[in-house]
């Protein structure tokens, strides 16, 4: 790929108008504001470089295999801000713009179109709230920044004639050379040399000088084109490969807009519970897995017309399975911070999809056993970080195991049959010992605590609470006042945040507890000996004095209780 012979702005504009230059569906919408477009024309007049462009020569079947869009000519903030779909019927070749959309659109709007934006303090639905503006150049005010402005017809005539003469920039396209420029200046009685200099420079930069320098990619492999596109657009808001594949999917769906449906679903599921951070990648991958495609990798070949038709046909069922899976995770107490691998919802959604999306699966009592098994699967998968690295290598064999589950979800079936190099859901004593080093604030702390509290209703808000207050154990001053030795102080400082000192408390009780000494809070909240004994049992708290001086003994005994419980659950 090398630089081609550059072209003029006029040639580029004519190609856009003739629909020979089009935008691939991987491009985003036009987002530049009038000020940015004005600065682009100012840079042209000062002969600054405006950057190189990247074009793609589309030939043969690719002209019709993918959706392309026209450039926006008359932008309207409310009624016309999306690129119209291009009709390529009868075309055998075209040029797709991979890099330079914003600049080329700005040139097109400035020379041939208009920009309509809402006036401030006007209602969106007020027809008088929008002002159609075209690009003008002031021929009577020399300055360091040549005066380009988008102006409405009313604004043009509102300026004092002695100080401003607004020239419609697009009129330069009808100029045939210097004689036309001098004729215009004479007819309009313009005496300033600045005016003729401006018009001559505008003519030179738009009509004469080949300022559009571009690379031309001529390959037909769309995977290569997508990777090029990602690379050249990495400086701005980065697109993922799935963003581009989604654009291709949009072109393949016949009755629905894939982009709209998938982004709507992402927004919806991210609002469940305390909020999640799912993205289009997760939904697209779920589509490939749930439809039982052999290859579930993000490749262009997997987003062909046949596969996209199946996904479109199954969309209602697929999307409902994903919704239920996310609702389940929310009911387990997970959110954007604690769900350390979004891919864990895919096997869950696949199981729900396989059993036909039963009504009220996330709350009905008859599905309680299923939910318990799924919860265990989710927690252990996250703790064992099973989806790290290449999730596809886990999702494929996991899907085959789930296919064999005819009646109930079985965590043990997955644990026993999942055979992947360096990955396993099996837990041994070494794993349990490692889990005891999980710390407060770790993304995995919630998953571990959730194993210890299987019966909590996680629709309520629970906080990770330090049993012996952190404010005490992290303060050397306070610890010395209590008479602790240097070794005891060091132990407190080093171990305060480990799982052995953490419990789950509902939000309100935890706020009430705050930095209160633990035994004082217990006496106040649970006044009877039996109530305190029940609390200690529920939270795996040993019969040890709950004080800083006894913190080391407390930690050793509580870690034993936690380890025993984890062994009972996991081994």
């Amino acid at each position: 790929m090398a630089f081609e012979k550059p072209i003029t702005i006029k040639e580029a504009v004519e190609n856009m108008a003739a629909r020979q230059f089009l935008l691939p569906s991987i491009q985003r919408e036009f987002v530049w504001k009038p000020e940015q477009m004005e600065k682009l024309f100012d840079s042209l007049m000062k002969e600054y470089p405006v950057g190189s462009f990247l074009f793609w020569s589309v030939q043969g079947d690719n002209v019709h295999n993918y959706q392309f869009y026209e450039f926006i000519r008359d932008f309207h903030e409310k009624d016309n801000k999306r690129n119209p779909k291009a009709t390529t019927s009868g075309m055998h070749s075209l040029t797709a713009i991979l890099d330079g959309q914003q600049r080329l659109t700005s040139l097109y709007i400035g020379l041939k179109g208009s920009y309509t934006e809402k006036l401030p303090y006007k209602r969106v639905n007020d027809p008088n709230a929008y002002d159609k503006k075209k690009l003008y150049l002031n021929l009577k005010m020399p300055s360091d920044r040549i005066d380009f402005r988008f102006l409405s017809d009313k604004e043009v005539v509102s300026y004092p004639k002695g100080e401003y003469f607004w020239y419609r920039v697009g009129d330069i396209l009808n100029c045939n050379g210097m004689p036309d420029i001098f004729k215009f200046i004479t007819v309009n009685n313009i005496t300033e040399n600045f005016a003729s200099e401006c018009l001559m420079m505008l003519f030179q930069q738009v009509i004469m000088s080949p300022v559009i320098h571009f690379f031309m990619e001529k390959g037909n492999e769309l995977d290569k084109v997508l990777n090029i596109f990602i690379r050249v657009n990495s400086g701005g808001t980065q697109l993922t490969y799935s963003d581009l594949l989604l654009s291709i999917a949009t072109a393949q769906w016949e009755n629905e807009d894939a982009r709209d449906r998938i982004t709507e679903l992402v927004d919806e599921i991210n609002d469940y519970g305390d909020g999640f951070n799912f993205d289009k990648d997760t939904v697209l991958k779920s589509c490939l897995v749930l439809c039982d495609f052999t290859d579930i990798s993000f490749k262009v070949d997997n987003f062909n017309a046949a596969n996209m038709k199946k996904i479109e046909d199954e969309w209602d069922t697929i999307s409902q399975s994903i919704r239920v899976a996310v609702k389940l995770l929310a009911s387990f107490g997970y959110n954007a911070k604690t769900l350390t691998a979004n891919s864990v919802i895919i096997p869950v959604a696949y199981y729900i999809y396989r059993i036909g999306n039963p009504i009220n699966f996330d709350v009905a009592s008859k599905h309680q056993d299923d939910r318990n098994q799924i919860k265990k699967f989710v927690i252990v998968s996250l703790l064992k970080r099973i989806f790290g690295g290449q999730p596809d290598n886990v999702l494929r064999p996991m899907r085959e195991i789930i296919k064999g589950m005819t009646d109930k979800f079985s965590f043990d079936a997955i644990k026993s049959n999942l055979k992947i190099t360096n990955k396993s859901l099996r837990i041994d004593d070494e794993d349990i010992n490692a889990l005891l080093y999980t710390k407060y604030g770790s993304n995995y702390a919630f998953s571990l605590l959730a194993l210890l509290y299987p019966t909590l209703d996680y629709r309520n808000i629970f906080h990770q609470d330090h049993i012996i207050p952190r404010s005490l154990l992290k303060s050397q001053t306070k610890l010395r006042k209590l008479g602790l030795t240097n070794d005891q102080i060091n132990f407190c400082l080093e171990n305060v945040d480990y799982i052995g000192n953490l419990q789950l408390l509902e939000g309100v009780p935890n706020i009430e507890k705050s930095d209160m000494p633990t035994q004082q809070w217990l006496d106040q909240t649970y006044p009877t000996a039996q109530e305190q004994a029940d609390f200690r049992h529920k939270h795996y708290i040993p019969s040890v004095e709950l004080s800083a001086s006894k913190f080391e003994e407390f930690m050793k005994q509580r870690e034993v209780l936690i380890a025993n419980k984890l062994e009972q659950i996991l081994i």
Side-chain angles (χ1 to χ4, degrees):
M1 186 169 63
F3 272 116
E4 302 286 325
K5 181 180 178 182
I7 60 175
T8 65
I9 291 174
K10 182 180 180 181
E11 288 176 287
V13 166
E14 288 173 344
N15 275 309
M16 285 184 274
R19 299 174 179 81
Q20 184 57 40
F21 280 7
L22 294 174
L23 295 167
S25 56
I26 55 180
Q27 283 282 18
R28 288 161 287 184
E29 296 174 350
F30 179 66
V31 295
W32 273 25
K33 298 299 182 184
E35 297 78 13
Q36 293 170 285
M37 294 187 276
E38 292 161 3
K39 286 181 181 179
L40 176 62
F41 278 87
D42 178 70
S43 295
L44 284 168
M45 294 289 278
K46 292 175 179 173
E47 299 185 272
Y48 294 165
V50 293
S52 59
F53 297 78
L54 179 60
F55 298 169
W56 174 31
S57 178
V58 184
Q59 306 288 332
D61 290 340
N62 277 346
V63 172
H64 309 292
N65 284 344
Y66 307 110
Q67 181 66 61
F68 295 92
Y69 293 81
E70 297 178 20
F71 281 83
I72 288 182
R73 173 168 167 170
D74 291 296
F75 180 91
H76 192 292
E77 199 170 56
K78 177 175 179 288
D79 297 329
N80 190 41
K81 64 180 182 179
R82 303 190 189 280
N83 299 81
K85 288 184 178 181
T87 301
T88 58
S89 177
M91 296 179 66
H92 302 290
S93 65
L94 58 87
T95 299
I97 310 305
L98 296 180
D99 184 44
Q101 172 202 3
Q102 304 294 326
R103 287 168 289 159
L104 285 176
T105 303
S106 298
L107 294 172
Y108 194 36
I109 289 174
L111 290 165
K112 275 191 168 292
S114 60
Y115 191 96
T116 303
E117 60 183 341
K118 189 178 79 66
L119 296 170
Y121 313 116
K122 295 278 189 178
R123 292 183 179 275
V124 172
N125 294 323
D126 183 352
N128 298 314
Y130 298 90
D131 232 355
K132 184 177 182 177
K133 299 182 179 184
K134 295 183 178 180
L135 185 62
Y136 287 86
L137 169 62
N138 182 20
L139 298 180
K140 283 201 170 186
M141 189 181 289
S143 65
D144 290 338
R145 183 179 185 277
I146 298 171
D147 197 3
F148 283 101
R149 296 191 208 179
F150 275 90
L151 301 171
S152 66
D153 292 343
K154 290 180 181 179
E155 289 175 320
V156 170
V157 299
S158 69
Y159 285 87
K161 290 185 179 179
E163 299 177 26
Y164 295 88
F165 188 101
W166 292 110
Y167 177 80
R168 167 77 175 94
V169 174
D171 290 343
I172 201 69
L173 294 172
N174 301 319
C175 182
N176 293 314
M178 298 306 170
D180 284 350
I181 292 174
F182 291 130
K183 180 180 178 181
F184 175 85
I185 289 174
T186 302
V187 168
N188 289 281
N189 296 316
I190 303 173
T191 58
E192 292 87 347
N193 289 334
F194 175 74
S196 58
E197 291 172 1
C198 265
L199 289 178
M200 285 190 290
M201 179 56 73
L202 184 63
F203 177 80
Q204 180 66 31
Q205 292 298 90
V206 173
I207 309 297
M208 301 300 295
S209 295
V211 298
I212 305 294
H213 296 266
F214 63 94
F215 291 95
M216 181 68 82
E217 169 57 40
K218 298 179 180 178
N220 283 322
E221 301 85 5
L222 193 56
D223 277 314
K224 178 184 178 183
V225 172
L226 296 186
N227 280 304
I228 291 172
F229 184 83
I230 292 171
R231 184 68 59 86
V232 299
N233 284 279
S234 61
T237 302
Q238 293 194 25
L239 293 175
T240 64
Y241 198 76
S242 59
D243 282 317
L244 311 185
L245 294 173
L246 178 56
S247 298
I248 296 171
T250 298
Q252 305 282 13
W253 281 27
E254 296 178 357
N255 302 311
E256 298 273 6
D257 187 308
R259 187 197 306 268
D260 288 348
R261 297 291 81 76
I262 289 175
T263 52
E264 286 169 2
L265 179 62
V266 169
D267 291 342
E268 178 186 346
I269 60 179
N270 280 338
D271 279 340
Y272 290 169
D274 286 336
F276 290 93
N277 193 28
F278 294 108
D279 54 21
K280 295 183 289 291
D281 295 51
T282 309
V283 174
L284 279 172
K285 184 67 70 176
S286 298
C287 291
L288 296 173
V289 172
L290 269 60
C291 283
D292 276 324
F293 297 141
T294 302
D295 190 348
I296 59 172
S297 57
F298 281 157
K299 295 194 305 188
V300 173
D301 289 346
N302 291 332
F303 288 76
N304 56 45
N307 285 357
M308 290 305 99
K309 184 179 188 311
K310 182 171 183 181
I311 292 175
E312 183 179 14
D313 291 343
E314 292 289 315
W315 174 248
D316 288 345
T317 310
I318 291 171
S319 58
Q320 180 59 17
S321 300
I322 295 171
R323 288 187 189 95
V324 175
V326 179
K327 285 180 181 178
L328 274 181
L329 266 64
S331 73
F332 297 159
Y334 283 98
N335 55 39
K337 182 180 179 182
T338 55
L339 189 69
T340 52
N342 284 343
S343 295
V344 76
I345 74 156
I346 299 177
V348 178
Y350 183 72
Y351 175 74
I352 294 165
Y353 177 84
R354 291 278 300 178
I355 62 174
N357 278 317
I359 297 173
N360 296 327
F361 181 83
D362 57 319
V363 293
S365 58
K366 66 180 179 180
H367 300 300
Q368 184 63 54
D369 290 343
D370 260 2
R371 293 197 297 271
N372 290 340
Q373 286 290 303
I374 290 172
K375 181 178 180 181
K376 191 172 180 180
F377 161 75
V378 169
I379 292 173
V380 177
S381 295
L382 297 178
L383 289 175
K384 291 286 287 186
R385 308 182 192 191
I386 198 76
F387 292 101
Q390 298 292 330
D392 287 4
N393 295 333
V394 178
L395 290 170
R396 280 190 295 267
M398 200 171 278
R399 180 175 64 179
E400 295 306 308
I401 297 168
I402 294 173
K403 280 182 184 178
M405 297 179 188
T406 54
D407 297 325
K408 296 291 182 181
F409 190 93
S410 171
F411 168 68
D412 286 337
I414 299 177
K415 181 176 69 173
S416 301
N417 295 297
L418 187 66
K419 303 187 186 308
I420 304 171
T421 304
N422 297 327
K423 293 192 182 216
S424 171
L425 289 174
R426 295 178 182 275
I427 299 284
D428 56 25
D429 290 337
E430 185 177 341
D431 291 318
I432 288 177
N433 185 61
L435 290 175
L436 296 176
Y437 286 90
T438 305
K439 298 185 81 171
Y440 174 77
S442 160
N443 291 337
Y444 298 93
F446 174 80
S447 291
L448 181 53
L449 289 168
L451 272 177
L452 301 174
Y453 296 89
T455 61
L456 294 183
D457 184 353
Y458 288 99
R459 289 172 293 185
N460 300 321
I461 296 174
F462 287 88
H463 295 174
Q464 296 177 29
D465 171 65
H466 290 78
I467 298 175
I468 312 298
R470 193 171 193 267
S471 59
L472 171 62
L473 298 179
K474 290 293 269 186
S475 172
Q476 295 188 46
T477 302
K478 292 179 181 179
L479 295 174
R480 284 200 177 92
K481 283 183 179 180
L482 292 173
L484 271 67
T485 66
N486 287 337
D487 287 344
Q488 287 177 311
I489 290 173
N490 288 334
F491 183 87
C492 291
L493 295 173
E494 292 171 3
N495 292 274
V496 56
D497 287 328
Y498 284 123
I499 202 74
N501 191 35
L502 301 182
Q503 63 182 347
L504 285 181
L505 278 186
E506 283 199 62
V508 173
N510 186 50
I511 293 170
E512 292 172 348
K513 179 175 181 286
S514 188
D515 295 334
M516 190 184 300
T518 310
Q519 190 59 53
Q520 179 184 335
W521 177 80
L522 272 177
D523 292 339
Q524 178 179 302
T525 310
Y526 302 98
T528 71
Q530 184 59 51
E531 287 176 323
Q532 290 193 21
D534 291 343
F535 181 87
R536 283 178 178 260
H537 177 75
K538 177 180 178 181
H539 294 274
Y540 311 96
I541 298 175
S543 299
V544 176
E545 180 183 318
L546 301 178
S547 65
S549 61
K550 298 292 184 181
F551 182 61
E552 184 170 359
E553 183 181 352
F554 161 81
M555 282 290 286
K556 289 178 179 177
Q557 291 193 32
R558 189 164 191 261
E559 286 179 347
V560 170
L561 293 176
I562 290 174
N564 289 340
K565 183 62 177 179
L566 293 176
E567 284 185 17
Q568 177 186 335
I569 296 170
L570 300 174
I571 301 179

